């Protein structure tokens, strides 16, 4: 049983490292800029607590997992799809094709949809906000 517990703890730790390996934050006053590693069109999974990052989308899907709490992410450029889970996250996205928001108290502000269309929006949870906004609210 002890060996199984050690294996489980090790696996949990490496899972977090895998998710976090997608970005490398660089400090810049109040907002960090992340340098994502996935190719254009890939999926970027974010999992953090109390982070403030600016991330280029590069046509990818971006997902905040269920452990993501109290973060502010600014996604620049075009995002194919944005999935927001977790609690009390705030996401600003320039251009997006689809937005899915679940969890509790998450807020998404988008500039415009892709190809001149409004993004497809789905919400499931409590106290969720998805709003179109021309200027990023700080």
């Amino acid at each position: 049983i002890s060996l199984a517990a050690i294996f489980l703890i090790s696996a949990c730790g490496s899972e977090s490292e895998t998710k976090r390996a997608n970005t490398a934050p660089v400090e810049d006053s109040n907002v960090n800029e992340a340098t994502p590693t996935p190719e254009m069109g890939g999926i970027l999974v974010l999992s953090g607590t109390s982070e403030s990052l600016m991330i280029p989308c590069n046509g990818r899907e971006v997902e905040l997992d269920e452990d993501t709490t109290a973060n502010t992410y600014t996604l620049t450029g075009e995002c194919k799809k944005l999935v927001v889970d977790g609690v009390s996250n705030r996401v600003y996205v320039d251009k997006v094709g689809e937005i899915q928001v679940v969890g509790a108290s998450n807020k998404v502000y988008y500039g415009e949809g892709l190809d001149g269309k409004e993004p497809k929006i789905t919400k499931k949870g409590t106290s969720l906000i998805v709003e179109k906004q021309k200027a990023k609210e700080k």
Side-chain angles (χ1 to χ4, degrees):
I1 293 178
S2 297
L3 185 57
I6 291 170
F7 177 75
L8 261 174
I9 290 169
S10 297
C12 289
S14 58
E15 178 182 351
S16 293
E17 291 301 318
T18 301
K19 290 178 184 175
R20 302 292 301 143
N22 290 329
T23 61
V26 177
E27 288 193 31
D28 179 26
S29 70
N30 293 332
V31 176
N32 291 329
E33 185 168 337
T35 306
T37 55
E39 298 289 321
M40 285 187 66
I43 298 175
L44 175 64
V45 178
L46 301 171
S47 177
T49 301
S50 301
E51 293 182 322
S52 184
L53 297 175
M54 182 176 292
I55 303 166
C57 248
N58 296 331
R60 293 179 290 195
E61 293 184 20
V62 176
E63 180 181 327
L64 279 64
D65 75 14
E66 63 191 20
D67 298 326
T68 310
T69 305
N71 298 290
T72 300
Y73 295 116
T74 301
L75 306 174
T76 60
E78 294 185 359
C79 293
K80 180 179 177 181
K81 181 178 179 180
L82 172 62
V83 178
V84 178
D85 200 346
V87 179
S88 299
N89 295 294
R90 182 176 288 197
V91 180
Y92 300 93
V93 58
D94 289 339
K95 292 183 177 184
V96 62
E98 182 178 350
I99 300 169
Q100 293 179 1
V101 185
V102 296
S105 301
N106 289 313
K107 299 176 183 179
V108 175
Y109 302 98
Y110 67 96
E112 58 187 277
L114 297 180
D115 301 323
K117 301 174 185 174
E118 286 297 309
K120 178 182 175 186
I121 298 170
T122 55
K123 299 188 294 184
K124 185 175 181 179
T126 57
S127 301
L128 304 175
I129 295 173
V130 178
E131 291 180 359
K132 185 171 185 174
Q133 175 177 313
K134 289 187 181 188
K136 291 181 179 74
E137 179 183 297
K138 292 286 176 178

